Amino acid sequence: MTGRLHLGLPMWANDDWRGSLYPPHAGEGGNLADYARVFSAVEGNTTFYSGAPRGETVAAWARRVPADFRFCFKLPASLTHEHRLWNIEAGFDAFVAALAPLKAQLGPLMVQLPRDFGAEELPQLQALLDRWPADIPCAVEARHPEFFHKGEAETTLNRMLISHGANRVMLDVRPLFSTSADGHPGMQQAHGEKPRRPLHVISTGCFPVVRFIGHIDDAINLAYFQPWINQLKLWINQGISPFLFVHTADNRRSPEMARQLHAALGEQLTLAPLADFPGERQTSLF
C-alpha cells in the first residue's frame, strides 16, 4: 500500500497571489475554493495568532474544498506560548471542538513549541499527547537547540512522538540561510523570524510534515530540494503520506515555487498533474 503526497502553502489568503494563483479580482471568500483546485493541503497559520475560528466559518470552509483536502491548523499561541501547555485541557478541547465540521478533512494539527521550550518541559507535551484524540493526526515542531544535538533530549522527544504516533515537523531553512539577506527586505525579515536549526530528517508517525523555507533564487531552492525527492519517494512507497508545505521569504512566490518542486518530484514519482492556476488561466483569455 502506497502513501500519498499532500502539497500546500502556509495559508490560502494572500492578496499577492492575485493574477497568478487567483484571478486578478478574486474576493477573499472565493480564494479557498480556487486554492483547493490546485493544492491538496494548507497549513492554516491564522489559528496560531487568532485562535479557534467561528463555527459558521469552519462549516463554510468544509463546503468549499473536496473531501480529500486536508487542513493542518496550528494550535493557538495562547496554548503553546502563553500557557506553555500547562493547564490547557479546556482550551485544547474547545479548539478541537471548533474544528468538528472539518474532522474528516483534518491533516496533522501542529503544535509549534516556543524556542525556549526545552527538555524539562516535555512532561507538559506528554500530557497533551496523552489527551490527543486518536482520530486526529498530530505534528510537533520543536525549536529549542537541545532537540537538535542528537543527545538525550532529542532521543526522549523522538521516543515520545513515536510512542504516540505523533509526527515531528521538519523545518528546512537551509535554502533561506544559504546566502546573506542583504538588499532584500523579505529575506531580511525571514532571517529574523525563522529559527536557524539543523535539519534532522525523521518519520515518527504516518504523516511527516516538511516545511520547506525557500530562497528568492529558484536554482538554490531546487538544489536543496533534490535530496527530498528520494526521501519523499521512500516514505510514499512505505505507505507513509507526507505533507510538504512550501514557503518563500515573503511568500509572494510560494505558489510558483511549489509548482516547480512538484514538477521536480514528478520526474521520480507518479503524481497527479497540478491544476493550472486560476489567475493565470483567466489572464490568458484576454
Side-chain angles (χ1 to χ4, degrees), residues 171-195:
L171 183 68
D172 189 353
V173 295
R174 296 173 304 158
L176 175 67
F177 288 106
S178 63
T179 69
S180 72
D182 294 343
H184 191 281
M187 287 278 291
Q188 291 171 344
Q189 181 176 352
H191 272 222
E193 292 177 350
K194 301 299 182 185

Side-chain angles (χ1 to χ4, degrees), residues 52 89-99:
E89 292 84 1
F92 175 70
D93 291 350
F95 180 72
V96 172
L99 300 177

Side-chain angles (χ1 to χ4, degrees), residues 25-282:
H25 304 293
E28 183 177 349
N31 282 354
L32 177 56
D34 283 338
Y35 176 97
R37 292 187 185 99
V38 179
F39 298 106
S40 58
V42 67
E43 279 192 18
N45 284 327
T46 54
T47 54
F48 180 77
Y49 302 101
S50 58
R54 295 180 299 173
E56 58 268 29
T57 300
V58 176
W61 291 343
R63 293 192 298 268
R64 290 176 182 155
V65 300
D68 59 352
F69 186 86
R70 294 292 179 264
F71 293 90
C72 301
F73 296 109
K74 284 185 181 179
L75 261 61
S78 60
L79 305 181
T80 57
H81 286 58
E82 293 177 25
H83 291 278
R84 304 180 72 86
L85 305 186
W86 273 110
N87 299 320
I88 64 166
E89 292 84 1
F92 175 70
D93 291 350
F95 180 72
V96 172
L99 300 177
L102 289 172
K103 197 162 190 179
Q105 295 156 306
L106 289 179
L109 297 184
M110 291 190 282
V111 184
Q112 180 179 302
L113 300 175
R115 296 191 191 197
D116 60 349
F117 188 104
E120 73 282 357
E121 294 185 274
L122 284 179
Q124 291 102 273
L125 177 61
Q126 174 79 52
L128 175 62
L129 296 178
D130 288 343
R131 191 180 187 82
W132 201 274
D135 55 351
I136 298 178
C138 172
V140 176
E141 182 176 329
R143 295 191 166 193
H144 195 290
E146 66 183 357
F147 294 127
F148 297 86
H149 291 164
K150 298 185 182 295
E152 182 178 352
E154 184 169 12
T155 298
T156 302
L157 171 64
N158 289 341
R159 286 177 176 170
M160 181 185 298
L161 297 179
I162 291 170
S163 68
H164 288 84
N167 305 275
R168 182 166 179 177
V169 176
M170 289 155 278
L171 183 68
D172 189 353
V173 295
R174 296 173 304 158
L176 175 67
F177 288 106
S178 63
T179 69
S180 72
D182 294 343
H184 191 281
M187 287 278 291
Q188 291 171 344
Q189 181 176 352
H191 272 222
E193 292 177 350
K194 301 299 182 185
R196 192 167 188 172
R197 299 287 182 262
L199 174 64
H200 290 183
V201 178
I202 182 173
S203 174
T204 58
C206 296
F207 305 101
V209 177
V210 179
R211 303 180 68 216
F212 187 84
I213 315 299
H215 196 276
I216 57 174
D217 187 321
D218 292 341
I220 290 176
N221 294 327
L222 288 171
Y224 278 99
F225 188 69
Q226 286 302 311
W228 279 116
I229 296 175
N230 287 334
Q231 183 61 64
L232 293 168
K233 181 179 179 180
L234 175 63
W235 281 333
I236 291 170
N237 288 338
Q238 291 174 336
I240 294 172
S241 295
F243 284 76
L244 173 62
F245 292 116
V246 179
H247 301 234
T248 54
D250 55 14
N251 282 319
R252 290 185 178 182
R253 296 195 67 254
S254 292
E256 289 81 5
M257 191 175 88
R259 182 164 55 186
Q260 291 175 346
L261 301 188
H262 182 273
L265 281 168
E267 295 178 3
Q268 298 292 328
L269 290 167
T270 302
L271 298 174
L274 211 62
D276 294 338
F277 289 180
E280 294 175 345
R281 185 172 63 247
Q282 186 178 88

